[in-house]
């Protein structure tokens, strides 16, 4: 089945959870209130009073206590959105319904877990300080135990904490609750997060990867650190005036910034044809969703470019086949930051130059909600969709210092008191645009249109074109070079460049780089693999304080029973050629510094030439970076001084002794936080990893972070492959990074019994879990035709990416779910599983996980067509489980093996697990390297699997490039 890459996308369900608002009807009432409650008072109320019955989602009480509050709110928003769309009465295509969620900054459960682990160190320092202040050893010990118990009661530790804190658990939990088997992933791109999520949903729908997508985005003030970090950048104010322009950015008056608000919202999206066929109520349709990025080195900041904003809008309207003069309303960013407001309105005025005076109304939902950051796009889109549906433009209060662009005689006007939305002139439907930005430099532009069913007064046809508009349709942008598959499977070039697109164009890997454990580049990585020697060893004492956190042989909420890992130390200086100050580099999270170093390798040898055209950078990572968690924990611990001073066990100390105790404590734990530097926010954003790569290397590429648990890297590959095939990007950088060797993660994973007591040993009879590892792998991708045109060296071709969710259990692997992902990958290619020579397995080294994975492989890869055993391996036996970077380690190993024409070995394998039915494939698992001989006339082909907590499954099919197919075997 072929899909229309320009088909409108219908909004068929809306959810709205904001302070004092529950549901789209209440949200619409708030939007139409002429004199709403002040934004400041509304925003400060937050979402704490929203009550959710978690039992209705089938969540056991033991797990509920470990869930992030955001997870609970997003479950409720999902239920509300689906109910608004008529679910369960109106069934959804559960097999092909995706769930995309967006959050930014850390979640409360992440903070609590980090604080609980870090508190052990603080408690030890309290005991030492008490001794130095004159307390006897018994009193000092009792004081430490008293504080430990107090914190344990406050922080509610549980074995389920590791799962409950993960951002990717949220979409997985939603998929499980509603039995959705499509893609599930979490995203972050600063305050463009929900715009990026919607753009991904539109891409999946138009590309035929899914039939419905639930997009959920939320923001809470999870810790005071977030607001303080924004304030340090001069972005926040005590009042919210979206269009005020007299502020300096250094005071709390009008025009100096925004009020940080809270909110959780959701949209259910379908292709318009599907929605009409299903009889859905359609709020509005999305005609286009365009993203651009302004790559500016240095501290993160919104784009100051009038020209780029203007060109983004022009391109978006052209893609939507809509003329600017038919736009009646613009939902602006309205950040309240004076210079940003001027730039936005100047670009908007230029776009509508020549239109009638006051013909375009402008507004911003920030006058009601404040800036709900990760939720901002959902809040804005929901507002405009409701306005189109009701035929009314909500009121917008005009500030006294509004700029000249909205004064009399210009095309722009404030929405004012709110009036009925008049029909478009000359029979055009009502139309609006929505603007979004991020503080990392991304620009977003969407075109929305009202929907009338066929036969209504001003519309004809399924797509509502009277798409006269068709008669004046602008020329579409140049389409990407496409390839046509040629007959045969031989060593000659198998694709012809032409205008006819194949169903799934190959994506060329034109660059690769990696840094895992003690292998700082791809070459040393392959040398270690080929040697057959594991790189796993004792984690340094500086990372894992064994006195505090290591307790062999026992499950514990406060200790790890292993001290083994594939540890690496991130770079301490920026890569050569980048003008990054030492202080800014030091303020980055370790994952950011590691990724920046790997990116230097990826782009090395290109001189000053960077990939040209429009790009996308998707990095799989943990959406709660370690630096943000640690800083939040330190800040929280500093607030415990009064608690320490009042401990009963220290009642015998004098006032002077207590003062001495606190002084000693500060010497070891640091002085109270005296301020936050502007760079702090940059180092705490997960999406900042990709933004650093884009900005410091001057890449016109939209940055985002992706979390799909242990499948995050392959989820990033999936996102970029989809964008390249759709033509929304000309190049992409994808991969993953995580530093899993840290006390927090080791303790949390140990509490759930996930870690090995010795070392990672996938497929071994003695396998008892995985070992954590640090690492980063990145890949530079292009469409195959473009890579051939540009003369790029091609390391391999990505042929298909399959994804699914089990929708059964958050922690137990599932044969059916993994099988589903594999089958979906093969649906994109013209060869069957018997043509695949090698499988880079997920291979965690857990008995159940390994057994389930081989069983799923047997269902898909087993059969009479296979003439030789499928070789199976796992990089985890060498480098440990690198979590979000695991898929990138597997793909790197596979591509390097393909280049070397060598099937890679496994290590730590002594006795093959007899429960693995390899004969059903048939398959082999080898402990030594061997020649990778290809079959005559066929390229070498391989597959890479990654399966994540929450039932998230990805399967990637790769093959060697035709140039590498000479006459040898």
């Amino acid at each position: 089945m072929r899909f229309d890459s320009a088909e409108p996308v219908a909004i068929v369900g809306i959810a709205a959870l904001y302070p004092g608002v529950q549901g789209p009807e209440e949200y619409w009432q708030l939007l139409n209130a002429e004199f709403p409650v002040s934004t400041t008072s509304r925003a400060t109320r937050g979402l704490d009073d929203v009550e959710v019955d978690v039992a209705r989602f089938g969540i056991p009480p033991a797990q509920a206590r470990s869930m992030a509050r955001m997870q609970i709110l997003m479950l409720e928003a999902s239920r509300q959105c689906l109910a608004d769309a008529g679910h369960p009465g109106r069934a959804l295509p559960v097999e092909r319904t995706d769930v995309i969620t967006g959050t930014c900054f850390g979640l409360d459960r992440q903070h609590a877990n980090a604080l609980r682990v870090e508190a052990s160190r603080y408690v030890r320092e309290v005991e030492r300080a008490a001794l130095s202040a004159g307390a006897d050893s018994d009193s000092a010990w009792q004081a430490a135990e008293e504080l430990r118990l107090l914190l344990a009661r406050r922080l509610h530790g549980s074995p389920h904490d590791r799962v409950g804190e993960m951002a990717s658990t949220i979409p997985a939990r939603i998929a499980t609750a509603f039995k959705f088997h499509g893609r599930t992933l979490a995203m972050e791109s600063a305050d463009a997060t929900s715009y990026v999520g919607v753009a991904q949903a539109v891409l999946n729908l138009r590309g035929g990867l899914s039939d419905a997508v639930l997009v959920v985005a939320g923001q809470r003030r999870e810790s005071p650190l977030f607001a303080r970090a924004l304030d340090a950048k001069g972005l926040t104010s005590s009042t919210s005036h979206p269009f005020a322009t007299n502020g300096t950015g250094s005071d709390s008056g009008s025009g100096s910034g925004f009020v940080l608000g809270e909110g959780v919202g959701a949209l259910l999206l379908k292709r318009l044809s599907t929605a009409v066929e299903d009889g859905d109520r359609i709020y509005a349709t999305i005609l286009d969703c365009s993203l651009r990025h302004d790559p500016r080195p240095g501290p993160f900041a919104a784009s100051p470019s009038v020209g780029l904003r203007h060109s983004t809008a022009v391109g978006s309207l052209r893609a939507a086949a809509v003329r600017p003069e038919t736009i009646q309303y613009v939902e602006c960013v309205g950040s309240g930051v004076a210079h940003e407001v001027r730039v936005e309105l100047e670009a908007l005025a230029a776009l509508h130059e020549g239109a009638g005076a006051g013909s375009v109304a402008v507004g911003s939902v920030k006058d009601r909600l404040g800036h709900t950051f990760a939720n901002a796009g959902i809040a804005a889109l929901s507002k405009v969709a409701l306005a189109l549906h009701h035929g009314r433009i909500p009121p917008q209060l005009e500030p006294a210092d509004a700029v000249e662009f909205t004064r009399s005689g210009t095309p722009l006007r404030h929405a004012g008191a709110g009036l009925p939305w008049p029909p478009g002139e000359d029979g055009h439907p009502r139309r609006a645009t929505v603007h979004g930005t991020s503080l990392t430099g991304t620009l977003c532009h969407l075109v929305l249109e009202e929907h009338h069913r066929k036969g209504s007064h001003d519309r004809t046809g399924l797509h509502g074109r009277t798409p006269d508009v068709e008669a004046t349709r602008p020329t579409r942008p140049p389409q990407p070079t496409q390839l046509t598959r040629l007959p045969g499977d031989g060593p000659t070039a198998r694709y012809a460049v032409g205008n006819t697109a194949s169903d799934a164009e190959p994506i060329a890997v034109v660059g690769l780089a990696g840094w895992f454990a003690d292998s700082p580049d791809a070459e040393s990585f392959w040398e270690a693999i080929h040697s057959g020697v594991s790189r796993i060893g004792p984690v340094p004492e500086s990372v894992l304080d064994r006195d505090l956190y290591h307790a062999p042989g026992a499950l514990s909420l406060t200790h790890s029973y292993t001290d083994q890992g594939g540890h690496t130390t991130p770079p301490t200086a920026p890569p050569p050629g980048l003008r990054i100050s030492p202080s800014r580099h030091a303020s980055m999270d370790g994952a950011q510094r590691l990724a920046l170093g790997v990116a230097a390798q990826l782009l090395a040898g290109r001189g000053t030439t960077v990939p040209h055209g429009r790009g996308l950078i998707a990095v799989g990572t943990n959406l709660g970076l370690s630096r943000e968690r640690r800083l939040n924990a330190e800040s929280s611990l500093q607030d415990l001084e009064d608690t320490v001073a009042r401990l009963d066990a220290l009642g015998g100390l004098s006032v002077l002794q207590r003062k001495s105790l606190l002084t000693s404590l500060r010497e070891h734990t640091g002085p109270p936080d005296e301020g936050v530097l502007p760079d702090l926010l940059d180092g705490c954003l997960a999406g900042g990893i990709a933004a650093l790569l884009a900005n410091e290397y001057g890449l016109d590429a939209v940055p985002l972070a992706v979390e799909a648990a242990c499948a995050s890297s392959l989820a990033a590959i999936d996102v970029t492959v989809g964008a390249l095939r759709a033509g929304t990007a000309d190049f992409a950088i994808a991969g993953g990074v995580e530093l899993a060797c840290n006390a927090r993660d080791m303790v949390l994973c140990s509490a759930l019994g996930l870690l090995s007591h010795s070392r990672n040993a996938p497929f071994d009879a003695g396998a008892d879990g995985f070992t954590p590892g640090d690492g980063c792998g990145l890949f530079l991708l292009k469409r195959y035709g473009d890579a051939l045109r540009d003369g790029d060296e091609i390391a391999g071709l990505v042929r298909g990416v399959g994804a699914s969710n089990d929708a059964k259990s958050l922690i137990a692997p599932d044969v059916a779910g993994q099988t589903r992902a594999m089958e979906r990958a093969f649906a994109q290619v013209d060869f069957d599983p018997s043509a695949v020579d090698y499988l880079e397995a997920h291979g965690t080294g857990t008995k159940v996980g390994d057994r389930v994975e081989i069983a799923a492989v047997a269902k898909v890869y087993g059969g009479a067509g296979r003439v030789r055993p499928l070789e199976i391996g796992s990089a985890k036996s060498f480098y440990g489980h690198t979590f979000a970077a695991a898929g990138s380690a597997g793909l790197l190993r596979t591509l390097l093996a393909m280049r070397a024409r060598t099937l890679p070995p496994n290590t730590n394998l002594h006795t093959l697990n007899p429960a693995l039915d390899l004969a059903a494939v048939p398959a082999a698992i080898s402990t030594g390297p061997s020649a990778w001989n290809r079959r005559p006339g066929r390229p070498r082909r391989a597959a890479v699997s990654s399966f994540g907590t929450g039932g998230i499954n990805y399967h990637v099919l790769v093959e060697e490039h035709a140039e590498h197919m000479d006459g040898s075997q």
Side-chain angles (χ1 to χ4, degrees), residues 751-770:
L752 201 55
L754 298 176
L755 301 183
S756 169
H757 289 263
S758 52
R759 292 186 179 185
N760 243 61
F763 313 117
D764 191 82
D768 62 348
F770 60 79

Side-chain angles (χ1 to χ4, degrees), residues 293-562:
H293 189 72
D294 186 1
R296 301 171 64 243
F300 294 156
S303 171
S305 173
V306 174
L308 185 58
R309 290 171 189 257
H310 181 264
S311 64
T312 300
V314 169
S316 179
L317 290 168
R318 181 181 296 120
V322 165
R323 299 194 303 269
E325 58 266 31
T326 67
I327 301 299
Q328 299 163 288
Y329 175 76
V330 179
E331 176 69 14
C332 295
V333 175
S335 68
V337 179
H339 66 275
E340 293 179 17
V341 173
R342 293 191 190 97
V343 168
E344 180 177 23
L345 293 180
E346 184 177 345
L348 190 56
L351 180 69
H352 292 280
E353 185 178 10
S359 60
V360 182
V362 297
S364 172
V365 74
K366 292 182 179 64
D367 71 335
R368 312 293 163 127
L369 302 176
H371 189 4
T372 55
F373 223 73
N375 168 260
I378 294 289
L381 280 167
S382 299
K383 171 186 173 180
V384 175
L386 287 167
L388 286 167
H389 181 66
H390 289 283
R392 182 178 179 83
I393 296 177
Q396 180 80 38
L397 299 181
E398 181 177 355
D401 59 344
V403 293
E404 61 272 15
F405 300 114
T406 56
R407 295 299 186 192
S408 175
T410 70
L412 309 182
R413 64 176 173 83
H414 280 89
L419 295 169
W421 192 330
E425 296 181 1
D426 301 324
H428 291 299
R430 297 176 177 90
R431 291 180 181 140
T433 59
V434 179
H435 294 183
T437 61
S438 85
L439 59 81
T440 57
T442 298
L443 299 174
C444 319
H445 191 275
L446 295 93
V447 183
L448 272 68
E449 180 177 282
E450 68 176 335
H451 173 73
H452 291 293
R453 296 205 175 274
K454 185 175 181 178
S456 293
H457 61 90
D458 64 349
R459 306 291 294 278
T460 60
L462 176 62
H463 300 304
R465 289 295 186 258
T466 56
D468 63 324
V469 175
E470 184 67 33
T472 57
R473 184 186 181 107
T475 304
R476 290 186 63 79
Q479 296 300 297
T481 302
Q482 300 289 352
L483 302 176
T484 302
R485 177 84 180 189
L486 297 178
D489 198 18
T492 59
R494 288 163 281 110
Y495 293 88
V497 180
N499 295 323
T500 303
S502 60
D503 286 341
E505 179 177 359
I507 300 302
V509 180
V510 299
L512 51 78
W515 183 331
F516 292 87
D518 61 354
S519 302
D521 52 41
E523 288 70 27
S524 57
F525 176 91
W526 177 245
E527 289 173 3
I529 293 288
H530 196 269
S531 73
V533 179
S534 173
R535 317 312 291 177
I536 297 171
V539 173
E541 188 74 18
S542 59
V543 173
L544 184 72
D545 187 325
R546 286 164 174 75
D547 288 341
L548 280 179
Y549 300 119
H550 186 216
L555 293 179
S556 167
L557 296 180
T558 56
H559 293 75
S560 170
Y561 51 73
T562 184

Side-chain angles (χ1 to χ4, degrees), residues 659-674:
K659 184 176 181 181
S660 174
L661 183 153
L662 295 179
T663 299
S664 177
L665 187 61
R666 289 170 189 162
E667 290 176 353
H668 290 89
T669 62
D673 191 5
E674 297 178 354

Side-chain angles (χ1 to χ4, degrees), residues 711-883:
S712 297
S713 288
L714 296 194
I717 295 289
D718 183 44
V719 167
T720 53
V721 165
L724 287 166
R725 285 177 171 166
T728 59
D730 300 310
F731 73 90
I733 293 175
V737 60
E738 188 153 355
L739 301 175
C741 292
N742 62 77
R744 181 195 68 247
D745 283 337
M746 294 179 74
V747 168
L748 293 177
C749 290
S750 182
L752 201 55
L754 298 176
L755 301 183
S756 169
H757 289 263
S758 52
R759 292 186 179 185
N760 243 61
F763 313 117
D764 191 82
D768 62 348
F770 60 79
T771 304
D774 297 337
C776 175
L778 296 175
F779 306 89
L780 180 59
L781 308 175
K782 287 184 178 180
R783 287 179 292 273
Y784 187 31
D786 292 349
L788 291 176
R789 176 200 65 200
D790 297 340
D792 292 312
E793 180 179 350
I794 299 175
L797 301 175
V798 176
R799 294 295 313 280
V801 184
S804 73
N805 190 280
D806 298 344
K808 285 188 176 181
S809 168
L810 292 184
I811 55 176
D814 178 66
V815 171
Q818 295 179 13
T819 298
R820 193 176 284 112
M822 296 177 194
E823 291 173 342
R824 289 174 179 173
F826 280 103
Q828 300 173 23
V829 300
D830 54 358
F831 56 86
D832 61 39
S834 67
V836 174
D837 308 311
Y838 174 70
L839 169 64
E840 175 67 22
H842 187 54
T844 56
T846 63
K847 282 188 171 62
V848 174
D850 289 353
R851 177 169 48 80
V852 168
E853 181 169 11
I854 296 301
V857 169
K859 282 185 172 293
V860 177
Y861 284 84
R866 179 163 294 282
V867 297
R868 62 185 182 191
L870 174 70
E871 195 73 30
I872 296 179
S874 172
K876 293 179 182 64
S877 62
F878 288 88
Y879 291 100
H881 192 349
T882 52
F883 294 11

